[in-house]
Amino acid sequence: NAGVTQTPKFRILKIGQSMTLQCAQDMNHNYMYWYRQDPGMGLKLIYYSVGAGITDKGEVPNGYNVSRSTTEDFPLRLELAAPSQTSVYFCASSRGTGRETQYFGPGTRLLVL
Amino acid sequence: GEDVEQSLFLSVREGDSSVINCTYTDSSSTYLYWYKQEPGAGLQLLTYIFSNMDMKQDQRLTVLLNKKDKHLSLRIADTQTGDSAIYFCAESNGNDMRFGAGTRLTVKP
């Protein structure tokens, strides 16, 4: 199993550009999550999904969009990149909630200039 | 909103014990977690404790929970250089999860 994979590892965007951060998992997990990690801060939940076709906002959804057309994939879209979106983005998946372990990808480091 | 707080840095000598502390504010927390993040990698779950427990031991790791004070700690016995990483405390009320900022543990030889 590859677990949770994310691409790209690193990207530089100009203000106003768009991009999609890719996330895939091969564990047949229903739940998938996108977090951002800012320096000196904990992870903040952007969006999550409880299954294909179902997504919901987390704590910091503004400026992002997601879709979940398959169980495996959960891409995160930035439409108009802003410097405030400079961060490290982590995708995670889990079988369920509560004590079910969240498995994390290696992260995508995004710099918006 | 609810918060999870931890100190940002801890430095210990190899072979000593490390204690990483965390406080949280959500009284409805049901699960509390410790994650480890090595450089360039995602978070890896180390251990978790259910809120009706006050201690959990797993090899070199001991988790202590004081629910009254909303205080969680992770003790690493016989700390090794390979334990150098960032350790995140997290709590969940069964629906969503909140993370602390992470404690960077440095182990000196």
Side-chain angles (χ1 to χ4, degrees):
Chain A
N1 281 356
V4 180
T5 57
Q6 292 183 238
T7 55
K9 283 191 168 54
F10 177 67
R11 182 77 182 269
I12 299 175
L13 281 184
K14 293 183 180 175
I15 294 172
Q17 284 187 318
S18 302
M19 79 164 292
T20 299
L21 282 67
Q22 300 292 345
C23 173
Q25 53 92 9
D26 61 0
M27 297 173 281
N28 203 31
H29 285 168
N30 285 324
Y31 290 75
M32 295 188 76
Y33 314 82
W34 273 107
Y35 294 92
R36 58 178 288 172
Q37 181 184 25
D38 298 326
M41 306 283 285
L43 278 71
K44 302 286 187 187
L45 183 65
I46 305 170
Y47 270 95
Y48 67 99
S49 169
V50 302
I54 307 169
T55 63
D56 210 346
K57 295 177 181 178
E59 190 180 351
V60 289
N62 291 346
Y64 307 94
N65 274 304
V66 293
S67 58
R68 185 97 183 268
S69 55
T70 66
T71 300
E72 294 77 21
D73 300 298
F74 190 40
L76 177 73
R77 179 95 180 143
L78 282 73
E79 290 295 347
L80 291 169
S84 61
Q85 293 177 304
T86 293
S87 190
V88 181
Y89 291 84
F90 288 101
C91 178
S93 73
S94 66
R95 193 169 56 179
T97 59
R99 68 176 176 187
E100 294 290 346
T101 302
Q102 287 193 21
Y103 294 86
F104 283 79
T108 294
R109 188 175 295 274
L110 177 66
L111 181 60
V112 182
L113 298 173
Chain B
E2 306 293 353
D3 286 326
V4 179
E5 294 192 355
Q6 8 177 175
S7 53
L8 293 182
F9 301 98
L10 177 65
S11 180
V12 301
R13 292 226 171 264
E14 192 173 15
D16 288 350
S17 292
S18 308
V19 179
I20 303 171
N21 293 302
C22 170
T23 58
Y24 60 97
T25 59
D26 187 357
S27 56
S28 64
S29 295
T30 49
Y31 300 99
L32 297 119
Y33 308 83
W34 284 105
Y35 281 85
K36 177 182 181 183
Q37 183 184 31
E38 298 190 47
L43 278 68
Q44 174 193 4
L45 180 68
L46 280 180
T47 187
Y48 70 90
I49 189 168
F50 190 50
S51 62
N52 68 354
M53 299 167 65
D54 49 23
M55 187 180 102
K56 182 178 180 181
Q57 186 147 6
D58 184 2
Q59 298 182 331
R60 292 191 296 123
L61 305 179
T62 303
V63 179
L64 295 177
L65 174 62
N66 181 327
K67 194 174 179 184
K68 175 175 165 289
D69 294 339
K70 299 191 185 69
H71 181 267
L72 183 74
S73 68
L74 173 70
R75 180 176 179 270
I76 306 173
D78 187 25
T79 313
Q80 303 297 309
T81 54
D83 295 323
S84 291
I86 301 176
Y87 291 81
F88 289 90
C89 169
E91 59 90 10
S92 171
N93 56 17
N95 293 316
D96 52 2
M97 185 178 277
R98 280 165 291 276
F99 290 81
T103 299
R104 182 179 295 275
L105 174 64
T106 302
V107 182
K108 297 179 181 177

